[in-house]
Amino acid sequence: MNENLALSDETLLSIEKPERYIGNEVNCVMKDKEKVDIRFAFCFPDVYEIGMSHLGIQILYGMFNSYEDVWCERVYSPWMDMDAVMRSQNIPLFALESQDKVKDFDFLGFTLQYEMCYTNILQILDLSGIPFKTADRTWEDPIVIGGGPCTYNPEPIADFFDIFYIGEGETRYRELFDLYKKAKNDGISRQDFLHMVAKIPGMYVPSLYDVKYKEDGTILSMDPVYPDVPRTVYKEMCLDLSKEFYPTKPVVPYIKVTQDRVVLEIMRGCIRGCRFCQAGQLYKPLREKDVDYLKKISLESLKNTGYEEISLSSLSSSDYSKLPELLDFLIESCNEKKINISLPSLRIDAFSLDVMSKVQDVKKSSLTFAPEAGTQRMRDVINKGLTEEDILRGSEQAFLGGWNKVKLYFMLGLPGETDDDILGIGDIANKIAVRYFETVPKEKRNGRTIDIVASTSFFVPKPFTPFQWARMNTKEEFLDKANKTRKGIMAQLNQKHIKYNWHEADASMMEGIFARGDRKLNDVILKAYQKGCIFDAWSEYFDFGKWMETFEECGIDPFFYTTRERADDEIFPWDILNCGVTKEFLLREWKNSIKGTPSTNCRKGCLGCGAASYGVGVCKEGKINE
C-alpha cells in the first residue's frame, strides 16, 4: 500500500468515493522516481470513473511505462467535493501512483475526447499551480501536451497547450522524450525546445503560428512564425496495428467504472463514410489487427485482470473480416470460464443477429439500431447506407430470436431536414412495433410485449467531415424539432410501446461553438472557468446562462460559430492540420449530400479521399481486388 498518500484519512473520509484518489489499483505501475529521466502525468479531464474507461490512456500508459527511462502516472479531474477541499486546504493536485505534485512532472498530457471538458483542463492546471497560458510558463512547469479527437481543431484551447500531438499516439512519443532529455541536458531554453518539437512529424506547436482575420471574422491566414516550421501538420498513423504496443495488463479499478471489462480493439478506421461522423474520417483508412494476435492478447488480458467480460472495440465490428473466426475462438475460450462477450457497433443483419444469439443472454439485452434519420431521403443525405427494409428485416429476425426490446438512435437538425424527416422517426418506430406483432404470435410472447426506446441527439457539425460547411440549428429550432418528434410518436397507433428521449439543446450548442471555434474562444473559456464553469459535460453543473454572459462580456457572437453556413473556399481554423482526407473530397461529399446522392463504401470502390497515400489497410485491399 502507498503510505505517502497526499490526502489525510480525515479528508478521504469526508469525500464521496475516496478510491478515486488513492491509486494502488491492480496492475498500476510503480517505479523508483530516482531511476527514471522523465515523469509523465497523463490526465483525462473528467471524473475518475469516466477516465478509467478510456482505452487510449491505457494504451499509452502501458507503452510509456514499458520504457525504462519514463514513469507515466494518471490524474483525473477531482469531483466537486474534492475540488472544494483542495482549494480550501491549498492541497496541490497530485498523480495517483506516487501521490506527487503534478507541477513537479516533466510532462502533463491531456486526452481530449469531448469539447465540453475544456474548462476541466483549466481546473487541472489551476489546482496544479501551472500557469494557464503557454506564454507564461518556464522550465519550472511541465510541458503541457494534448492528444485525441478534439486536437483536430485545437484552436479554441491553443493558448493553454505547449504542444498538440495530431494522430495516433504510438508513433512519435519516443522521439519527443529523447529530444526533451537532450534539451534539458544541453541547457536549451523552453522556447527553443518547442521550436525543435515543431519539426517532429505530427507535433503542432500553436504558439509558433500566427493567425490573421478578415473584417467579417473569418480567417485570412495562418502562418508559421519561423521558415523551418511546417506550414501543414500531418496526422500520425500506425501502419501495422498488430506490431504496436497493446496493454494486456490494464489498470483495474477498485470501484465500478463506466466500462468494467477487457476492451479488445480489433481494428481502427471505418469503410462506411457517414457524412456526419468525424471518427470515420479521422481514422481512415480502415486497418485490421491480425486474428491470431487478437486471440493471444484477449486471453492474456482476461488472465491479467480477472474481468468477467470482454468487449470488441471498433467503429463497426461487423466489418472486421475475421469476426466469425475470432468469435468462435472467444466463445469456446470464454464459455468454460463464464466470461461474457460484448459486441457493440454491429450492423443489424442476419449474421450479426446469429452472432448475438450465441454470445448474449437474450433475456437481458436490447437490440440497438442507429438509423440516424427518419426517412430514406435523409439517410441518403447523410450517407448512412441503411434502408428501412434493413431495419425491419433485422428487427423481424431479432423478434424471432427472442428479443423484444429495441433502442433506436436518431439525430435532429441534420442539413436539409424537413418536417417529413422528423415525423419519419415516429413512423419507423411504429413500423417496428407492427412488425413485432406480425412476427410473434400471442402464444409465444410469454406475457411480454414490444418495448421501443427512440432517442434523439442534436446534430453538431464537426471538422474534417463533409458537414464542416453546414449551418447548425439554433437551440429554439432544436427544441421545436424535438417537440415535433414527440408529437409524431404520440400520433402513432402503437405509441404506448414507444418511449422518447432527447438531449439538451444548450449543451449541443456549446459543443458546436467549440467544435468549429477559433483562437478568439481561448479568452471566453478562461473567463467562464474563472466565473465557476466546470464539469460542463455534466448537466447538473452546466450553466448555459453563464456562458452566454461571458460571450457578451468578451464581445464575441457565439452564433458566428454555429448557425452560419460556410463558403466553399473559407479557411477553417483547422486547415493547418491534415488528417489524410483531402478538403476537395470533403467538399465533393458536401455537394453530394445537398443533392441527396449516397456514396459507396471503401470496400466496394475507392472514392479518392486521399487516405490511400498511407498505402495500408483497406486501401491496399482495393488494389489486390482489381
Side-chain angles (χ1 to χ4, degrees):
M1 181 69 191
N2 187 349
E3 296 302 325
N4 307 313
L5 289 177
L7 303 172
S8 67
D9 289 355
E10 191 184 10
T11 302
L12 286 167
L13 290 169
S14 73
I15 53 172
E16 190 192 329
K17 298 191 182 173
E19 301 92 335
R20 291 167 171 161
Y21 310 105
I22 58 176
N24 209 45
E25 306 99 322
V26 174
N27 295 336
C28 80
V29 178
M30 300 301 287
K31 292 192 180 187
D32 180 345
K33 59 186 167 195
E34 304 305 323
K35 291 185 180 166
V36 295
D37 301 321
I38 289 175
R39 298 191 64 191
F40 194 108
F42 211 144
C43 177
F44 193 106
D46 204 331
V47 73
Y48 176 90
E49 292 90 314
I50 304 283
M52 274 299 287
S53 303
H54 179 58
L55 177 62
I57 284 193
Q58 295 271 20
I59 291 174
L60 293 179
Y61 176 85
M63 185 178 91
F64 293 169
N65 282 321
S66 72
Y67 303 149
E68 274 187 21
D69 58 343
V70 179
W71 185 12
C72 178
E73 305 182 42
R74 293 160 300 128
V75 61
Y76 302 101
S77 281
W79 191 240
M80 295 302 259
D81 55 350
M82 183 65 190
D83 179 281
V85 167
M86 293 178 87
R87 290 176 199 274
S88 67
Q89 298 181 20
N90 289 323
I91 300 170
L93 188 63
F94 52 90
L96 291 188
E97 280 75 358
S98 64
Q99 303 272 305
D100 287 345
K101 291 188 290 191
V102 168
K103 188 174 165 60
D104 294 342
F105 281 65
D106 298 288
F107 285 87
L108 170 57
F110 286 92
T111 181
L112 307 172
Q113 296 294 317
Y114 182 40
E115 293 85 354
M116 299 303 284
C117 289
Y118 287 171
T119 48
N120 280 49
I121 295 165
L122 299 180
Q123 175 209 26
I124 299 287
L125 295 171
D126 197 4
L127 291 173
S128 304
I130 299 166
F132 290 126
K133 298 200 173 184
T134 178
D136 301 324
R137 293 181 197 138
T138 68
W139 270 135
E140 295 299 300
D141 303 299
I143 294 291
V144 179
I145 182 167
C150 292
T151 58
Y152 283 92
N153 177 25
E155 297 304 288
I157 46 173
D159 292 354
F160 313 131
F161 283 83
D162 302 316
I163 309 166
F164 290 105
Y165 183 124
I166 310 301
E168 295 173 349
E170 290 94 335
T171 61
R172 293 288 173 181
Y173 266 110
R174 185 66 261 178
E175 212 172 315
L176 177 66
F177 293 157
D178 290 342
L179 182 63
Y180 176 82
K181 281 163 62 168
K182 186 176 183 329
K184 292 294 274 223
N185 274 340
D186 298 352
I188 288 168
S189 74
R190 204 174 198 272
Q191 273 59 39
D192 287 345
F193 166 68
L194 291 175
H195 187 169
M196 291 156 78
V197 168
K199 297 177 206 171
I200 299 177
M203 300 290 169
Y204 173 44
V205 179
S207 58
L208 300 184
Y209 293 82
D210 183 36
V211 185
K212 290 189 170 64
Y213 297 91
K214 297 180 187 173
E215 272 187 25
D216 66 0
T218 60
I219 291 172
L220 173 66
S221 62
M222 290 181 79
D223 296 309
V225 296
Y226 299 113
D228 60 346
V229 168
R231 185 158 283 286
T232 304
V233 180
Y234 290 83
K235 83 164 175 195
E236 278 297 297
M237 200 180 78
C238 302
L239 301 181
D240 184 349
L241 289 169
S242 304
K243 292 198 172 123
E244 296 294 349
F245 178 88
Y246 195 79
T248 55
K249 286 183 82 167
V251 182
V252 181
Y254 291 125
I255 55 175
K256 184 156 178 53
V257 297
T258 320
Q259 298 223 10
D260 261 333
R261 59 185 75 103
V262 165
V263 178
L264 185 68
E265 183 189 44
I266 57 175
M267 62 186 189
R268 282 185 198 166
C270 185
I271 58 172
R272 297 287 158 187
C274 299
R275 291 176 180 138
F276 56 85
C277 178
Q278 189 185 38
Q281 305 297 344
L282 297 185
Y283 300 111
K284 276 184 173 177
L286 175 129
R287 292 148 289 146
E288 296 192 347
K289 290 189 181 180
D290 176 70
V291 69
D292 292 327
Y293 167 75
L294 289 173
K295 290 175 186 176
K296 178 173 159 284
I297 61 172
S298 62
L299 295 184
E300 278 178 33
S301 303
L302 287 164
K303 182 167 155 268
N304 291 330
T305 58
Y307 278 131
E308 292 173 351
E309 184 169 345
I310 185 164
S311 172
L312 304 191
S313 163
S314 75
L315 291 171
S316 176
S317 301
S318 312
D319 294 323
Y320 179 60
S321 60
K322 298 278 177 21
L323 190 62
E325 184 184 337
L326 178 62
L327 281 171
D328 286 345
F329 171 81
L330 287 174
I331 288 165
E332 200 179 320
S333 314
C334 294
N335 271 2
E336 51 199 77
K337 300 190 185 86
K338 301 276 187 288
I339 287 163
N340 192 31
I341 302 165
S342 137
L343 281 161
S345 322
L346 282 181
R347 291 175 77 78
I348 301 300
D349 52 26
F351 163 70
S352 302
L353 289 159
D354 180 45
V355 161
M356 284 165 72
S357 59
K358 280 186 197 162
V359 303
Q360 284 189 340
D361 176 350
V362 172
K363 288 187 267 322
K364 271 195 323 202
S365 65
S366 59
L367 201 63
T368 302
F369 285 104
E372 311 293 2
T375 61
Q376 195 56 47
R377 184 197 77 82
M378 201 67 225
R379 285 191 290 277
D380 288 346
V381 166
I382 62 177
N383 204 37
K384 181 62 191 174
L386 186 69
T387 65
E388 185 174 291
E389 193 38 49
D390 293 334
I391 296 165
L392 294 176
R393 193 170 52 238
S395 302
E396 182 176 321
Q397 288 168 335
F399 300 147
L400 290 169
W403 274 271
N404 70 321
K405 289 184 170 65
V406 179
K407 286 182 186 164
L408 299 168
Y409 290 106
F410 299 92
M411 275 186 281
L412 291 174
L414 288 159
E417 184 179 61
T418 65
D419 282 0
D420 284 347
D421 301 315
I422 295 166
L423 296 173
I425 292 173
D427 188 45
I428 198 158
N430 188 61
K431 282 178 178 166
I432 290 171
V434 168
R435 190 63 66 100
Y436 173 81
F437 291 116
E438 288 171 356
T439 306
V440 185
K442 233 179 192 162
E443 62 276 11
K444 289 208 173 152
R445 290 179 203 158
N446 301 329
R448 300 181 310 164
T449 186
I450 181 70
D451 184 5
I452 299 168
V453 179
S455 300
T456 58
S457 61
F458 296 126
F459 166 68
V460 176
K462 292 283 169 105
F464 294 110
T465 67
F467 290 156
Q468 63 184 0
W469 284 273
R471 76 174 288 275
M472 186 173 158
N473 284 190
T474 62
K475 173 188 165 182
E476 291 70 27
E477 286 171 317
F478 276 145
L479 293 174
D480 178 51
K481 288 178 177 187
N483 198 31
K484 282 178 181 160
T485 308
R486 188 176 57 81
K487 284 183 175 161
I489 287 172
M490 285 171 70
Q492 299 298 330
L493 200 60
N494 290 291
Q495 53 137 319
K496 67 174 187 291
H497 298 288
I498 308 166
K499 183 169 179 263
Y500 175 49
N501 301 323
W502 68 93
H503 281 234
E504 288 177 56
D506 291 343
S508 298
M509 181 181 161
M510 285 307 305
E511 187 188 332
I513 293 166
F514 295 148
R516 292 189 292 177
D518 53 29
R519 291 193 180 185
K520 293 177 220 162
L521 295 179
N522 282 267
D523 289 339
V524 178
I525 291 170
L526 181 53
K527 196 162 193 178
Y529 169 72
Q530 287 165 337
K531 285 180 165 207
C533 288
I534 188 176
F535 281 106
D536 297 299
W538 296 75
S539 54
E540 63 263 46
Y541 294 114
F542 176 57
D543 188 336
F544 186 65
K546 218 174 255 179
W547 277 103
M548 290 303 108
E549 188 184 288
T550 310
F551 276 110
E552 202 169 322
E553 286 169 20
C554 293
I556 286 177
D557 173 14
F559 296 103
F560 174 80
Y561 301 103
T562 51
T563 55
R564 178 176 65 86
E565 191 164 310
R566 278 62 171 166
D568 289 359
D569 59 354
E570 180 172 328
I571 295 175
F572 296 135
W574 53 92
D575 279 352
I576 199 96
L577 310 175
N578 184 312
C579 81
V581 175
T582 66
K583 198 170 180 181
E584 294 71 30
F585 163 74
L586 294 172
L587 186 60
R588 197 161 71 234
E589 281 291 282
W590 169 231
K591 302 290 185 198
N592 281 339
S593 80
I594 293 167
K595 289 186 282 201
T597 309
S599 299
T600 186
N601 78 53
C602 301
R603 281 204 170 118
K604 286 189 178 158
C606 178
L607 294 171
C609 74
S613 62
Y614 290 96
V616 293
V618 73
C619 303
K620 216 164 89 183
E621 281 174 32
K623 292 187 180 74
I624 293 164
N625 296 339
E626 279 165 15

